[in-house]
Amino acid sequence: MNILVVNAGSSSLKYQLFDMDKEQVMAKGLCERIAIDGKLTHKNLVNGKVLTADISMPSHVEATRAMIDAIIDKEYGVLESMNQIDAIGHRVVQGGPWLTKPTLVNDEAIEILKRCVDLAPLHTIPHLQGIGGCTAILPDCPQVLVFDTSFHATMPEKAYTVPMVKEVCDKHNIRRYGAHGTSHRYVSAEAAKYLNKPEEDTKIITCHLGNGSSISAVKGGKVADTSMGFTPLDGIIMGSRCGAVDPAVVPFIMQKENISVDDIGNWMNKKCGLLGVSGVSTDLRDVKNAMNDGNENAALAFDILIYGIKKYIGSYTAIMNGLDCIVFTAGIGENDADVREAVINDMEYLGVKLDSEKNRNVSSLSAPWDISAEDSKVKVFVIPTNEELVIARDTKNLVENL
Ligand code: ADP
């Protein structure tokens, strides 16, 4: 079964084509600058050939067309005809309280998804356009929506409730939804396989540390709590997002700096975080270079990141009444040994000890990339995330039973 996984953003559309019999990616690519001019980068992973082309993409329909053309291209493609695509799985950032499981695209699902525009406009509108593009080009191909919020839907009410006036929160569907759920689900399930105990007894903390970062407590395979909230602004410091702050700071800054309601969200999402504190960059590699050159604000930004991760690990160990394993994943989590070392440093009280040598040489290890010391009570794993594979699996499971 061939499954196309699509991740549609406002001006981009990323895709991966899976051969699900082998769970292998055959081709992947990116349509960029949609509605600006249009650029396609496509890689055939069977023969290694790469196609880059400037293609006019006034909307997601043309981007979808460019993606399909590349997939069936004689030289760069991997399929002979678009009819060989058996199903499409879409990554969807927010399903709201309504959509908590993989869902087949039909008129009703689209109507419900439109309700999520209010909760996550920057993502949901492009998702709808991406789905529309696929429907226009492949009208008979089943499409499935897979939500980043689904895995967190099992959070208990005390974890997801925003403690403001309940009536107001209920009226506007204000609650903590979390994000990166597909990633937390994948890496926690992988980690659980390597802990010698039944999944229902496992207590795992997953640290998805990328440009956007979130940390989850996964108890018995279910999310007990997660650091992102109503939106991905909550939690630890991120590339350009501030994470959790005293809410009173927000109206105070709006007043003092004359920032409007329309602009404050953008300011907190794009100007704060590592960038805002360091004044250097959203990219942790740049922040670290500046720190090593003696930039004190860059060092402060790094310290805030480590401090925040440690606080979550401590509090999530407390709410789960124990800890079997910490997982690091995503751009920073998978690649930055300094971050992992600084986080795990001084955690002996919790029974966590790192093997520094292994931590520095993760690429020489094999799954699950165990970097904990022999006498560590708690395992520390570095597990590369694979959200696309989870989406492809969910899509396959749903369409197989149609
Ligand atoms: P996104 O949230 O956009 O998917 P990623 O998961 O790709 O982000 O993570 C981006 C972050 O990962 C950046 O802060 C970058 O500094 C960091 N990163 C990526 N590669 C490396 C590396 N080799 N070493 C250290 N940090 C890295």
Side-chain angles (χ1 to χ4, degrees):
M1 182 181 261
N2 299 320
I3 301 218
L4 180 60
V5 173
V6 171
N7 182 354
S10 56
S11 66
S12 72
L13 187 151
K14 287 186 216 151
Y15 61 91
Q16 290 194 9
L17 182 72
F18 282 84
D19 170 354
M20 287 308 284
D21 300 332
K22 301 187 202 128
E23 289 205 332
Q24 261 174 14
V25 183
M26 292 188 278
K28 61 186 200 178
L30 169 67
C31 299
E32 292 171 280
R33 300 177 61 82
I34 300 171
I36 304 167
D37 39 27
K39 181 175 179 208
L40 169 83
T41 309
H42 171 89
K43 186 162 188 186
N44 176 327
L45 297 171
V46 181
N47 65 15
K49 287 192 176 179
V50 178
L51 168 69
T52 53
D54 293 326
I55 299 170
S56 169
M57 297 175 191
S59 76
H60 285 72
V61 175
E62 292 79 12
T64 308
R65 167 61 70 194
M67 163 180 75
I68 301 293
D69 285 348
I71 287 171
I72 61 172
D73 186 86
K74 284 217 157 40
E75 191 177 349
Y76 297 95
V78 284
L79 300 180
E80 281 171 11
S81 133
M82 63 182 182
N83 298 329
Q84 290 173 287
I85 299 171
D86 297 299
I88 300 171
H90 291 273
R91 181 223 177 184
V92 182
V93 163
Q94 174 61 277
W98 311 285
L99 298 164
T100 56
K101 292 199 172 90
T103 303
L104 196 67
V105 171
N106 54 28
D107 291 348
E108 190 194 348
I110 295 294
E111 278 316 303
I112 300 175
L113 186 58
K114 283 181 184 165
R115 285 192 220 152
C116 300
V117 170
D118 199 27
L119 295 173
L122 297 178
H123 287 105
T124 311
I125 292 170
H127 292 334
L128 285 161
Q129 290 166 337
I131 297 159
C134 291
T135 309
I137 310 293
L138 291 159
D140 299 322
C141 186
Q143 298 182 58
V144 173
L145 309 175
V146 180
F147 301 94
D148 276 6
T149 42
S150 294
F151 189 47
H152 302 302
T154 55
M155 266 194 286
E157 200 172 2
K158 64 189 171 195
Y160 74 67
T161 301
V162 171
M164 290 174 148
V165 178
K166 194 157 189 312
E167 214 180 292
V168 174
C169 291
D170 288 349
K171 184 163 107 189
H172 300 291
N173 300 297
I174 298 168
R175 50 162 281 179
R176 304 182 65 255
Y177 292 101
H180 297 139
T182 311
S183 175
H184 290 288
R185 181 172 139 210
Y186 176 76
V187 298
S188 61
E190 285 293 298
K193 284 199 278 190
Y194 297 104
L195 298 170
N196 288 325
K197 48 161 74 177
E199 195 191 16
E200 57 269 25
D201 295 339
T202 54
K203 296 170 180 176
I204 300 173
I205 294 177
T206 47
C207 305
H208 177 112
L209 309 175
N211 198 23
S213 298
S214 62
I215 301 180
S216 292
V218 185
K219 190 177 180 192
K222 293 195 167 135
V223 175
D225 203 348
T226 193
S227 64
M228 283 181 168
F230 176 58
T231 74
L233 250 185
D234 202 358
I236 59 167
I237 187 173
M238 296 170 234
S240 59
R241 296 188 196 125
C242 50
V245 295
D246 178 346
V249 169
V250 180
F252 189 82
I253 288 184
M254 289 171 75
Q255 199 178 37
K256 296 284 179 196
E257 293 288 313
N258 206 11
I259 301 177
S260 69
V261 173
D262 286 343
D263 291 339
I264 191 70
N266 191 46
W267 189 82
M268 289 191 290
N269 273 292
K270 298 269 191 254
K271 307 274 189 218
C272 296
L274 297 176
L275 171 68
V277 175
S278 70
V280 174
S281 169
T282 61
D283 192 309
L284 189 65
R285 285 166 293 195
D286 300 336
V287 174
K288 280 170 62 188
N289 285 338
M291 174 171 88
N292 294 334
D293 289 343
N295 183 323
E296 287 179 6
N297 288 337
L300 177 61
F302 184 83
D303 284 350
I304 293 172
L305 173 68
I306 304 304
Y307 183 65
I309 302 169
K310 273 179 171 286
K311 277 193 356 185
Y312 271 102
I313 291 175
S315 64
Y316 284 174
T317 305
I319 62 155
M320 292 196 288
N321 188 22
L323 180 63
D324 295 314
C325 161
I326 299 170
V327 183
F328 288 97
T329 194
I332 296 171
E334 291 168 31
N335 296 302
D336 198 317
D338 295 334
V339 167
R340 295 192 299 258
E341 179 136 12
V343 168
I344 302 301
N345 188 23
D346 288 336
M347 273 202 184
E348 290 89 354
Y349 180 77
L350 288 185
V352 195
K353 278 198 229 164
L354 199 69
D355 181 322
S356 292
E357 190 69 27
K358 286 185 182 164
N359 181 45
R360 297 273 151 199
N361 297 294
V362 167
S363 55
S364 66
L365 306 175
S366 52
W369 302 277
D370 182 354
I371 57 168
S372 47
E374 294 252 315
D375 60 341
S376 180
K377 275 200 288 181
V378 172
K379 293 281 182 200
V380 184
F381 296 150
V382 180
I383 300 183
T385 195
N386 198 342
E387 290 153 288
E388 292 79 11
L389 177 61
V390 177
I391 295 170
R393 283 178 182 165
D394 281 356
T395 303
K396 179 172 180 257
N397 286 344
L398 214 156
V399 299
E400 258 176 357
N401 297 317
L402 283 180

